[in-house]
Amino acid sequence: MFGDTFGQDFVPNAANPGPNGGSWRSNVLAFSTDTQLDDGLTFGSMATDNAGSAREIVPGGKDQSGNGNLTSIPSAAIRANGADYVHYFNIRNWTGWIINYSGLYKSVDNGQTWKKCETVLFSANSNFGMVGYFKKDGYVYMMGTHAGRINPAYLARFKEADIENQNLYEYWNSTSSQWIPGNESAATVLINEKVGELSFVYNTKHNKWILTYFSEDRYNITMRTAENITGPWSSPYELAAGSAYSQLYGSYLHPLSATGDNLYFLMSMWMPYNTFLMKAELADMGDL
């Protein structure tokens, strides 16, 4: 899934980078069966409207007053219990990353149609306004931040069958070394720095969790690793530098990153306002 997307009249504008053009959709969905990523990522199709154009999946209001429903941006997706789920945040105003709420949409027909999950809702002040997901050992692990790029990361989990029952979500509390059910405020800081758009996998070759995110302070895409998802996490390692990839953000790991020696991730750049497939080789990870 991609966030704000524009039509065929879109032209990258170095003088005013970012969105421009017509046919604004808050998000679109592409499908791929490509497993040979060294030559790029091929999309076989999109979720389309009757005219054959990529359609908006999670509605965004397009209210540009700064006080309403502006747009809905996907932050993570997971398949659980045979259904597909996307976590999204509904933006009121990009200045300060003010959101109205975040929640879930669900598809039971392989992404062709979607419906809102009314039983899962995170408040505008939630530390799970933006999240990443990974499924392991019967649980879906959910790492999250307050909406934006200047807040620490927190950790939660739930059984795969309970994804639509927010009351059964468990939150990691490092003080007590326990998973606390049903109390989001019990979650303690997992990554204590400014964490932007995050993504994580468990790599079965290296037997480590791998976390990637945008670091505003270092102006890069950062990687950290851990043997246990609750930590301790390694020191930061730079995957992509802003000096080489100007105005970079996002670092969403492709599922093939969970095996082998290669990390594949989708990284955006504000200019030319597009998304790129990136590759990093995990050779000798050493202390990482």
Side-chain angles (χ1 to χ4, degrees):
M1 290 195 79
F2 296 90
D4 290 321
T5 302
F6 295 83
Q8 295 181 7
D9 60 341
F10 172 84
V11 177
N13 182 355
N16 185 27
N20 69 75
S23 189
W24 177 14
R25 287 140 295 165
S26 290
N27 45 81
V28 295
L29 175 62
F31 300 99
S32 177
T33 58
D34 189 356
T35 59
Q36 302 297 323
L37 301 185
D38 280 353
D39 61 353
L41 175 62
T42 299
F43 298 126
S45 62
M46 305 283 292
T48 59
D49 58 22
N50 292 334
S53 298
R55 73 175 190 274
E56 185 173 272
I57 301 298
V58 182
K62 318 301 189 299
D63 179 349
Q64 300 188 63
S65 70
N67 298 302
N69 172 357
L70 176 58
T71 188
S72 295
I73 304 297
S75 71
I78 193 74
R79 172 161 285 198
N81 304 316
D84 293 305
Y85 295 87
V86 58
H87 176 285
Y88 70 99
F89 55 100
N90 182 259
I91 279 281
R92 177 183 299 182
N93 195 323
W94 282 116
T95 302
W97 288 68
I98 300 172
I99 73 169
N100 294 308
Y101 60 87
S102 59
L104 289 183
Y105 260 65
K106 175 184 180 181
S107 173
V108 295
D109 56 5
N110 294 316
Q112 296 304 314
T113 61
W114 293 81
K115 184 178 180 180
K116 186 176 182 179
C117 293
E118 301 291 349
T119 56
V120 177
L121 183 70
F122 294 95
S123 73
N125 295 316
S126 173
N127 288 320
F128 297 90
M130 295 166 63
V131 307
Y133 289 131
F134 193 81
K135 187 169 59 174
K136 188 176 186 293
D137 301 330
Y139 284 95
V140 175
Y141 290 91
M142 179 177 72
M143 202 177 298
T145 67
H146 191 284
R149 297 170 175 154
I150 60 172
N151 300 284
Y154 299 78
L155 180 64
R157 72 177 186 182
F158 47 85
K159 292 181 179 178
E160 186 176 350
D162 296 330
I163 188 170
E164 295 186 47
N165 191 341
Q166 193 171 352
N167 292 329
L168 296 180
Y169 287 19
E170 300 176 341
Y171 301 90
W172 176 248
N173 184 282
S174 60
T175 303
S176 63
S177 296
Q178 291 181 320
W179 294 95
I180 309 297
N183 181 9
E184 182 184 333
S185 64
T188 54
V189 170
L190 184 73
I191 305 293
N192 191 20
E193 69 164 345
K194 296 177 183 178
V195 176
E197 302 91 335
L198 65 82
S199 181
F200 64 102
V201 298
Y202 184 79
N203 183 283
T204 54
K205 178 174 182 179
H206 293 276
N207 296 319
K208 289 189 178 183
W209 291 94
I210 297 175
L211 166 68
T212 61
Y213 56 93
F214 171 72
S215 169
E216 181 178 278
D217 285 341
R218 287 184 292 275
Y219 187 38
N220 71 5
I221 302 301
T222 288
M223 178 183 79
R224 292 179 186 256
T225 68
E227 293 185 1
N228 299 300
I229 196 168
T230 55
W233 285 84
S234 72
S235 58
Y237 178 87
E238 183 172 85
L239 286 182
S243 58
Y245 303 97
S246 180
Q247 299 177 309
L248 80 178
Y249 62 101
S251 52
Y252 297 105
L253 290 163
H254 189 282
L256 289 181
S257 300
T259 59
D261 284 324
N262 294 324
L263 282 186
Y264 297 99
F265 59 97
L266 291 173
M267 183 184 78
S268 296
M269 293 172 66
W270 189 244
M271 174 65 204
Y273 199 68
N274 213 325
T275 303
F276 301 88
L277 178 68
M278 305 290 286
K279 175 187 174 182
E281 296 183 7
L282 300 173
D284 180 5
M285 294 182 69
D287 292 339
L288 291 172

